[in-house]
Amino acid sequence: MEKVVELLLSSTYGIAFTGAGISTASGIPDFRGPNGLWKKYSPEIASIDYLKRDPKGFWEFYSQRMRGLFEARPNEAHYALAKLEKMGIIKYIITQNIDGLHQKAGSQNVIELHGTMQRSYCSSCFKQYDSREVLKMIDEGNLPPKCSCGGIIRPDVVLFGEPVKDFGLAVRIAYEADLVLVIGSSLTVYPANLIPQIVKEERGGSLIIVNADETPLDHEADVIIREPIEVALPRIVNEIEEELRKN
């Protein structure tokens, strides 16, 4: 942990890159782990093709997932990362998550590559909706939920078969960074997984990986932490605060 603290404190533009693993302690299953979502469901159910082919079936799945995300609360890892941002050590959080827990924990500079479940919009006229309003429509028997124009409403998330959001901005930030703290990501989802690679391989920055399982970038990491994320991140923050009190 001493090496992690040293790298974070010596960086001038650190960023965090987070995946589903940071939210498992909040009761949200990851995708590819032993109890991952894709062990129970086919990834096809989260594709743009499936939404177009069977909007009712799509929303039967997504409405339940949406409710689960809305009930979830940030865990200690989310709060620790928000502290690192407040301290000025982490400048941006680039996340693959759609749960909004970084913002709920107090993080300000969050780039959501895969969108957010908090919002929905009409696939025809693009009118925006609060997703809780959409769930109310479903509860009232409107499945799939439809806009006043007659178009199908969909969550504002990136489905399989669609491009990620704000990727250009994320790439520009990665080229500014001299350190990337990867948290809870398998680093197997393209093109999001390019962000840590840019920091390490193109910028020559430091790479810290906090993840339960091996990743394709482990061989390039400066430090790898395998302990639970909700334990590791608060400990990192505590040790940084201790180090700053000494100086």
Side-chain angles (χ1 to χ4, degrees):
M1 202 62 76
E2 183 179 338
K3 178 69 171 176
V4 175
V5 171
E6 178 188 329
L7 289 172
L8 285 166
L9 286 176
S10 62
S11 70
T12 58
Y13 201 106
I15 65 173
F17 180 86
T18 68
I22 195 172
S23 295
T24 54
S26 295
I28 300 173
D30 61 13
F31 295 96
R32 293 167 179 81
N35 300 308
L37 206 59
W38 302 147
K39 294 286 193 296
K40 300 177 183 177
Y41 302 96
S42 166
E44 183 198 13
I45 204 167
S47 70
I48 183 62
D49 289 340
Y50 188 78
L51 170 61
K52 291 176 178 177
R53 186 171 71 250
D54 183 6
K56 182 178 179 181
F58 174 90
W59 269 109
E60 284 173 346
F61 168 75
Y62 257 90
S63 62
Q64 293 309 309
R65 186 155 183 247
M66 198 174 268
R67 293 179 206 278
L69 295 186
F70 289 168
E71 291 170 1
R73 295 291 176 265
N75 63 61
E76 292 305 313
H78 294 105
Y79 288 115
L81 198 51
K83 274 189 180 180
L84 289 176
E85 182 186 349
K86 191 173 182 180
M87 294 164 76
I89 293 171
I90 293 298
K91 310 299 184 187
Y92 277 91
I93 297 169
I94 300 172
T95 186
Q96 297 169 279
N97 298 342
I98 59 175
D99 52 38
L101 293 183
H102 286 305
Q103 292 92 331
K104 286 182 181 178
S107 293
Q108 301 293 317
N109 298 322
V110 183
I111 298 173
E112 296 171 307
L113 293 177
H114 295 160
T116 176
M117 206 71 114
Q118 306 295 318
R119 294 188 306 269
S120 296
Y121 66 90
C122 173
S123 54
S124 295
C125 73
F126 303 104
K127 178 182 176 181
Q128 289 202 349
Y129 291 85
D130 184 304
S131 291
R132 286 172 176 79
E133 182 183 352
V134 179
L135 287 179
K136 187 178 178 184
M137 293 180 190
I138 293 172
D139 289 340
E140 292 171 351
N142 299 300
L143 191 67
K146 292 185 179 180
C147 177
S148 54
C149 78
I152 301 293
I153 298 173
R154 55 159 293 174
D156 193 4
V157 298
V158 174
L159 302 174
F160 287 113
E162 295 184 312
V164 298
K165 296 173 178 282
D166 296 324
F167 188 64
L169 174 59
V171 167
R172 289 197 296 274
I173 288 168
Y175 272 105
E176 292 288 326
D178 61 358
L179 176 146
V180 58
L181 176 60
V182 174
I183 307 164
S185 174
S186 64
L187 295 179
T188 58
V189 178
Y190 177 89
N193 61 356
L194 294 178
I195 300 302
Q197 291 181 51
I198 289 170
V199 178
K200 183 62 183 176
E201 298 169 8
E202 302 292 328
R203 288 281 291 124
S206 301
L207 171 62
I208 301 167
I209 296 176
V210 187
N211 198 54
D213 303 310
E214 293 182 1
T215 81
L217 281 187
D218 281 6
H219 67 287
E220 295 190 50
D222 295 272
V223 183
I224 298 172
I225 300 173
R226 293 284 185 233
E227 66 184 83
I229 296 166
E230 68 276 13
V231 174
L233 285 189
R235 190 150 70 90
I236 289 169
V237 170
N238 289 339
E239 293 194 17
I240 285 175
E241 289 175 334
E242 182 71 26
E243 193 64 31
L244 291 175
R245 278 194 289 270
K246 294 178 185 175
N247 301 324

